[in-house]
Amino acid sequence: MPNVRIGVMYDRDWAPEGLPGFARQAEALGVDDLWVVEDLGWNGGVSAAAVALGATERLRVGLGIAPAPLRSPALLAMELATLARVFPGRLVAGVGHGVREWMVSVGVAPRSPLALLEETITSVRALLRGERVELDGREVRLDGVQLVHPPVQVPPVVAGVVRPRSLELSGRVADGTLIAEGHGPSDLENTRALTAKGGAGPDHTLTVLSFACVGDDPDEVARTLHPHTEGHGAWLGRPQEEVFTVSGTPAQAVGDIHALAASGADTVVLRIVGAEPLRQLEAVLDSLGRPRTPAPTAN
């Protein structure tokens, strides 16, 4: 199998006070990444990333994803730079369009979502590189903004997008693409083609989120996954049975991860549903042969 990073999502429905302990336990199990969520009304993504980074010593933390309409590019760059200075090499910043209905509900829906996302990612990356940014764009204006403390090690900025034009945009302006839950190996081949059409080179990464449920009872696994795949299938516009998951026995789940990796995934992030998510994660990592690491000192 190609070398693939394994991540786990701290689900948006889990209370924020549980994040430090979960992050420490996930790190001790040997997982590579922990991804936090920024959805309107749930937890703040930047603050959650800070909590996870502060609670751990090695884990890479992904912000999945900051809605561009809700985040000033200057402020987002400031926040990311602060984290990257304190925790160098351990942050990945995801940025996306945001759910249109949510953006309308708080009065920040852009005239051109594509222009806003491109201008946000371009300016945030430039600011993180320490550049002085002058931009009078369709959606973003920055008049000579520059960070006083840019990161020494610039974190990658990835685009969390789904539609073809947005995937091309990601290939043009982002360090990588974050793929939503439900997308399988054939989808990744199409994603690679679209990001390449936009100009993505070989270093452009693909991070794939996937619903995961691991257990030896196939009926129980199917029942647990059903409400998640049903709702997500409706959002993706595809039949529920075509919503890809990492699921089944640990060996079957590893087979699903292998399939994603063979189709171009650099990182697979498990959004675990059902009881005892850390036990499920442990079963997958053990089946992959991942070594454990000593639990870090509590902060």
Side-chain angles (χ1 to χ4, degrees):
M1 180 180 71
N3 188 25
V4 61
R5 299 180 67 92
I6 303 299
V8 63
M9 178 189 292
Y10 192 77
D11 197 275
R12 67 184 188 180
D13 287 331
W14 300 344
E17 62 267 25
L19 175 55
F22 183 93
R24 284 190 288 266
Q25 292 177 74
E27 180 173 67
L29 290 175
V31 79
D32 299 303
D33 288 10
L34 185 144
W35 283 74
V36 296
V37 182
E38 180 160 280
D39 280 347
L40 186 66
W42 277 269
N43 303 328
V46 174
S47 54
V51 168
L53 287 163
T56 54
E57 296 177 356
R58 172 193 59 81
L59 207 61
R60 189 174 74 167
V61 174
L63 170 58
I65 57 176
L70 204 57
R71 290 280 189 178
S72 155
L75 181 58
L76 181 57
M78 290 160 58
E79 299 278 22
L80 298 175
T82 300
L83 293 178
R85 290 282 296 228
V86 179
F87 305 101
R90 295 184 54 205
L91 177 68
V92 181
V95 185
H97 292 297
V99 176
R100 181 74 179 180
E101 293 81 2
W102 294 348
M103 299 302 101
V104 169
S105 74
V106 291
V108 296
R111 293 165 297 177
S112 172
L114 284 168
L116 176 62
L117 186 59
E118 179 160 3
E119 290 166 10
T120 296
I121 291 176
T122 300
S123 56
V124 167
R125 291 183 71 204
L127 288 165
L128 291 173
R129 292 192 297 266
E131 298 173 13
R132 181 181 176 87
V133 178
E134 299 271 1
L135 176 61
D136 187 11
R138 291 182 63 186
E139 298 286 345
V140 173
R141 177 172 177 173
L142 296 171
D143 187 5
V145 177
Q146 187 172 22
L147 296 181
V148 174
H149 300 294
V152 176
Q153 190 168 345
V154 178
V157 178
V158 302
V161 291
V162 175
R163 307 301 177 197
R165 291 178 65 194
S166 297
L167 288 167
E168 287 185 39
L169 184 155
S170 179
R172 184 167 65 252
V173 304
D175 293 303
T177 302
L178 180 63
I179 309 299
E181 300 92 332
H183 292 88
S186 62
D187 298 303
L188 298 196
E189 294 167 9
N190 184 53
T191 295
R192 279 287 187 199
L194 287 166
T195 55
K197 183 179 178 181
D203 294 334
H204 188 94
T205 60
L206 280 190
T207 299
V208 184
L209 309 180
S210 184
F211 287 115
C213 185
V214 180
D216 293 326
D217 183 342
D219 292 333
E220 178 61 27
V221 167
R223 282 193 299 271
T224 302
L225 281 169
H226 184 275
H228 304 278
T229 55
E230 183 179 46
H232 221 68
W235 179 69
L236 291 173
R238 63 178 59 181
Q240 182 178 6
E241 60 272 15
E242 294 180 14
V243 175
F244 185 86
T245 65
V246 171
S247 58
T249 65
Q252 289 171 327
V254 167
D256 293 329
I257 293 171
H258 285 184
L260 291 171
S263 296
D266 298 291
T267 301
V268 176
V269 180
L270 305 180
R271 183 178 179 182
I272 300 175
V273 300
E276 299 183 89
L278 285 167
R279 181 196 56 77
Q280 294 187 53
L281 175 64
E282 181 179 17
V284 172
L285 294 173
D286 284 349
S287 192
L288 282 166
R290 292 296 179 97
R292 308 288 177 84
T293 60
T297 303
N299 292 312

